[in-house]
Each structure stands twice: as C-alpha cells, then as structure tokens.
C-alpha cells in the first residue's frame, strides 16, 4: 500500500472516527454542563432559544455585527465557503462515489475556484487581525494561528492539486493528509464552535432571552 492509498483509506477512516467520536463527546459534555440545576432562571423558554439561533446565523442581525460590517461580511462568507467547498466540490463527490457509490449535486468549478481564493485571503485577513487588533490579540493563543495555517494549507494544496500546479501526486497526498489532520483537530480546538455554536446560542437564549435580547449579543 502506497502513501496515497494509505491516506485515502485507513487514515481517512481513522480521521472520521476521531472527528465523530470527539465531536459527540464534546456535545455530551456541553449538554451535561448545561443541564445543571437552574439557579437564576429555572424555566427554559424554547421560543427564545430558537430565536437566538436564528438571530445568530442571519448577517447583521446583532448589534456586534452591525458595528463591524466588514468583519461580519468576511466572517459569514468565509464560513460559508469553508463548509460548502468540501461538501459540494465535484472532485470530492467523485471520491465519495468511488467509495460508497453515492452522488449529490456539485457546485461549478469556477465558483469553487473563487471560493477557494476567498478562503485563502480570509485566512490571511484573520491571521493579521489577530496581530493588529488589541482585544483579539489578548485572547489569541498559538493554536489559533496554527489552525489558520492548517486551513490555509488544506485549501491551497486542494487548489494546486485541482489545477495541477507542481508535482500532482505529492500535492494531492499532502492535501488529503492535511485535511484529515484538520478533521481530527476540530473536536479538540476552537473549531468545535462550528458544531457547538447553535447549541450555545440556544442555551443562552433559552435561559436569558427574557431579559437580554438575542440581537444584543
């Protein structure tokens, strides 16, 4: 078994297992912490909880977003691209079909290129922002820079492999390997917010939505 078959086979299955098991563990831990007896507001409000989720995923719906329009726009587009590209890029769908004989709709290659370039520029933007914005720099850890570098490498090598810039097979192997490393990292880093975000918004809205408007935080 060569390196390509290894990263596409056993390592891929291991990465997905760690991602699923780790994410499930973090979700369970989050639920257990949030299910402690309520001291201030013993009754949850379901409508406030779901309202908080909705407000949180609509661009410019909160006071924070309105005060920082450029950051809001870049952040939303960045997250959309990071989620859509791996799931709906044709080359990825072909790999899934080869393994599981299952197909779904893909995005045009030209749009995928534009989205990839935006992700790369977004990584640079967020990297620099952590250096120059004082309040962000204060809460930044080394792992935050490493996460941005990891995302940058994944999308850069994917772009290079698709357009066959440089030695194709080594770059493709690096793309698959770096993607799997990133997948393994997600449950144990701040990237877990991509899974916990709606649950944390719901928890805050259900508990405090009657005294704090979701649009205020």
């Amino acid at each position: 078994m060569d390196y390509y078959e290894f990263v596409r086979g056993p390592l891929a299955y291991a990465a997905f297992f760690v991602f699923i098991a780790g994410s499930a563990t973090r979700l369970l831990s989050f639920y257990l912490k949030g299910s402690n007896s309520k001291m201030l507001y013993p009754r949850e409000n379901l409508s406030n909880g779901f309202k908080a989720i909705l407000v949180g995923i609509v661009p410019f719906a909160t006071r924070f977003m309105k005060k920082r329009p450029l950051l809001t726009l870049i952040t939303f587009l960045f997250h959309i691209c990071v989620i859509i590209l791996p799931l709906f890029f044709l080359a990825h769908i072909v790999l899934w079909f080869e393994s599981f004989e299952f197909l779904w709709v893909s995005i045009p290659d030209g749009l995928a290129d534009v989205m990839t370039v935006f992700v790369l520029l977004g990584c640079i933007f967020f990297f620099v922002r952590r250096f120059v914005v004082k309040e962000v720099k204060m809460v930044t850890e080394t792992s935050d820079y490493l996460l941005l570098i990891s995302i940058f490498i994944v999308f850069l090598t994917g772009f290079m492999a698709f357009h066959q810039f440089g030695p194709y097979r080594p770059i493709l192997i690096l793309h698959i390997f770096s993607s799997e490393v990133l997948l393994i990292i997600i449950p144990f880093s701040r990237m877990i917010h991509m899974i916990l975000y709606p649950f944390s918004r719901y928890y805050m809205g259900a508990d405090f939505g009657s005294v704090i408007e979701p649009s205020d935080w």
Side-chain angles (χ1 to χ4, degrees):
M1 181 183 297
D2 62 13
Y3 288 118
Y4 175 74
E5 293 298 330
F6 174 71
V7 296
R8 187 186 166 191
L11 190 59
Y13 287 112
F16 277 106
F17 174 80
V18 173
F19 169 72
I20 295 172
S23 299
T25 301
R26 292 295 301 274
L27 276 173
L28 178 61
S29 174
F30 183 83
Y31 171 77
L32 293 176
K33 290 179 180 179
S35 62
N36 293 333
S37 58
K38 311 295 181 182
M39 297 182 65
L40 296 178
Y41 304 98
R43 297 178 60 186
E44 294 184 9
N45 188 308
L46 297 180
S47 62
N48 283 341
F50 288 110
K51 180 182 178 182
I53 296 176
L54 181 61
V55 169
I57 62 176
V58 174
F60 305 105
T62 69
R63 183 179 301 177
F64 179 87
M65 297 180 193
K66 293 174 182 177
K67 287 184 176 180
R68 299 163 177 82
L70 178 61
L71 175 63
T72 297
L73 183 61
I74 294 176
T75 299
F76 268 89
L77 291 177
F78 180 84
H79 282 81
I80 290 172
C81 292
V82 167
I83 294 172
I84 294 296
L85 270 172
L87 294 177
F88 297 98
F89 184 47
L90 180 59
H92 293 170
I93 296 174
V94 170
L95 290 177
W96 278 99
F97 180 76
E98 291 176 352
S99 300
F100 305 105
E101 297 187 356
F102 184 74
L103 287 174
W104 58 91
V105 66
S106 64
I107 59 176
D109 290 341
L111 177 59
D113 282 344
V114 173
M115 295 173 73
T116 301
V117 172
F118 184 86
V119 170
L120 296 177
L121 295 176
C123 287
I124 297 174
F125 170 81
F126 290 120
F127 194 95
V128 173
R129 182 173 180 268
R130 289 191 173 277
F131 270 112
V132 301
V133 180
K134 183 178 180 181
E135 59 268 27
V136 178
K137 186 176 182 179
M138 291 176 58
V139 297
T140 295
E141 300 176 354
T142 302
S143 59
D144 297 317
Y145 295 117
L146 295 178
L147 282 175
L148 288 171
I149 292 173
S150 298
I151 297 172
F152 187 90
I153 291 174
V154 168
F155 283 85
L156 177 63
T157 53
F159 186 84
M160 293 176 65
F162 179 72
H163 292 282
Q164 299 189 19
F165 296 149
Y168 174 73
R169 196 170 181 83
I171 291 176
L172 179 60
I173 293 174
L174 178 59
H175 171 63
I176 298 174
F177 177 76
S178 60
S179 300
E180 291 164 351
V181 170
L182 188 61
L183 197 63
I184 292 172
I185 291 174
I186 288 175
F188 312 103
S189 67
R190 291 190 183 184
M191 283 190 69
I192 192 64
H193 78 272
M194 62 187 293
I195 296 174
L196 294 183
Y197 180 77
F199 297 97
S200 62
R201 289 287 301 187
Y202 171 84
Y203 178 81
M204 291 294 293
D207 269 17
F208 306 109
S210 58
V211 293
I212 303 177
E213 283 294 324
S215 58
D216 291 333
W217 52 279

